């Protein structure tokens, strides 16, 4: 990796840490969360069960946007280059194959996990992740929209400006995918509370990092990767909730 690549990686990692810290640390204590929940509900009239799904999503998206702006500046990247996608039958077919591949590889990873630990509850583990539990309190249509919106922010940052910035510094494709993918995976793991949650999210994150990273490298645009990740996140959040009925039923109403 070149010196520019090392400097850019350091900036990208710092931006990732600040983004996740702003999202997670202020509301880590239950007493603080309860106070904020009551204060926001009292001042806005928003039902208390919706406070953190809405507030958390806004903070996460704004943090992702700001982190992306930092990397756009640090890497001297242009939005046009990242978002330009020449849509052809070949590119659409590649997008569909990537989406199918991501689902198939994730299913294989989960099957392997079940083989190693037959008694585990993967859907329950996913549904009990705090941010997912909170999302499940939202009206049905928003349960799809919120994970998809978060995936858009993540994909633009990690496979857009992070990966694109590394490639612009001359970093080899495999190394750029590995570095940005590792940062993405670690970030997802840090949002979990148990070892099983961390394992499940780590496996699915590695799959997305590889397949979406390769898709961006081939297509030269982050848009198809955004489509894959957004659909993946919305689908698996809902599927896990349906398969873990006791967890979903425990969501505060």
């Amino acid at each position: 990796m070149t010196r520019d690549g090392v400097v850019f990686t350091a900036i990208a990692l710092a931006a990732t840490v600040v983004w996740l810290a702003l999202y997670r640390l202020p509301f880590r204590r239950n007493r603080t969360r309860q106070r904020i929940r009551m204060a926001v509900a009292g001042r806005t009239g928003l039902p208390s069960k919706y406070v953190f799904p809405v507030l958390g999503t806004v903070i996460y998206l704004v943090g992702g946007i700001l982190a992306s702006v930092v990397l756009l500046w640090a890497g001297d990247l242009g939005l046009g280059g990242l978002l330009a996608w020449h849509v052809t039958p070949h590119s659409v077919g590649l997008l569909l194959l990537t989406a199918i591949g991501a689902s198939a590889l994730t299913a294989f990873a989960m099957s392997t996990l079940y083989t190693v630990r037959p008694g585990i509850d993967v859907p329950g583990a996913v549904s009990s992740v705090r941010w997912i539990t909170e999302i499940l309190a939202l009206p049905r249509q928003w349960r799809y929209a919120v994970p998809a919106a978060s995936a858009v922010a993540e994909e633009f940052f990690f496979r857009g400006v992070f990966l694109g910035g590394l490639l612009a510094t001359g970093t080899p494709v495999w190394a750029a995918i590995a570095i940005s993918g590792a940062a993405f995976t670690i970030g997802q793991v840090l949002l979990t509370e148990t070892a099983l949650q961390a394992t499940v999210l780590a496996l699915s994150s590695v799959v997305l990092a590889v397949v979406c990273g390769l898709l961006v490298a081939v297509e030269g645009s982050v848009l198809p990767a955004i489509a894959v990740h957004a659909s993946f996140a919305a689908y698996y959040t809902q599927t896990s909730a349906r398969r873990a009925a006791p967890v979903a039923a425990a969501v505060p109403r």
Side-chain angles (χ1 to χ4, degrees):
M1 183 186 296
T2 64
R3 183 176 181 277
D4 288 343
V6 173
V7 171
F8 183 82
T9 298
I11 295 173
L13 292 177
T16 304
V17 169
V18 172
W19 175 15
L20 296 180
L22 288 175
Y23 171 69
R24 186 173 175 86
L25 294 182
F27 314 125
R28 193 170 185 179
R29 295 184 178 180
N30 288 331
R31 179 177 295 182
T32 302
R33 292 173 65 85
Q34 188 63 18
R35 288 177 177 174
I36 294 174
R37 189 192 305 274
M38 293 298 100
V40 173
R43 294 183 180 182
T44 65
L46 186 70
S48 61
K49 65 182 179 180
Y50 294 161
V51 169
F52 277 102
V54 172
L55 182 61
T57 299
V58 170
I59 292 174
Y60 194 71
L61 295 179
V62 170
I65 291 171
L66 293 177
S68 296
V69 169
V70 170
L71 292 200
L72 283 169
W73 169 79
D76 195 23
L77 302 170
L79 280 176
L82 293 172
L83 300 178
W85 183 33
H86 183 53
V87 181
T88 64
H90 177 272
S91 62
V92 173
L94 188 58
L95 185 155
L96 295 175
L97 285 174
T98 301
I100 294 170
S103 296
L105 287 171
T106 301
F108 175 76
M110 296 306 111
S111 297
T112 303
L113 197 56
Y114 277 121
T115 301
V116 175
R117 298 180 59 189
I120 62 173
D121 178 12
V122 169
V126 173
S127 296
S128 63
V129 175
R130 174 175 285 183
W131 68 267
I132 295 179
T133 301
E134 291 173 344
I135 287 172
L136 295 178
L138 293 170
R140 185 175 180 82
Q141 64 273 23
W142 291 103
R143 297 177 194 174
Y144 290 91
V146 170
S150 298
V152 171
E154 291 166 354
E155 204 61 29
F156 183 77
F157 179 80
F158 290 104
R159 252 72 66 188
V161 291
F162 198 154
L163 177 60
L166 286 174
L167 293 175
T169 65
T171 304
V173 172
W174 68 267
I177 292 175
I179 293 169
S180 59
F184 169 63
T185 300
I186 293 171
Q188 293 299 300
V189 168
L190 290 176
L191 298 180
T192 63
E193 289 83 31
T194 69
L196 181 56
Q197 291 175 356
T199 300
V200 172
L201 263 66
L203 290 172
S204 59
S205 296
V206 169
V207 169
L208 283 172
V210 173
V211 298
C212 289
L214 290 172
L215 184 60
V216 171
V218 171
E219 289 296 299
S221 170
V222 73
L223 288 181
I226 285 175
V228 171
H229 190 168
S231 60
F232 183 97
Y235 173 76
Y236 277 101
T237 298
Q238 296 307 305
T239 300
S240 296
R242 288 195 297 269
R243 293 178 179 176
V247 176
V251 176
R253 299 294 179 186

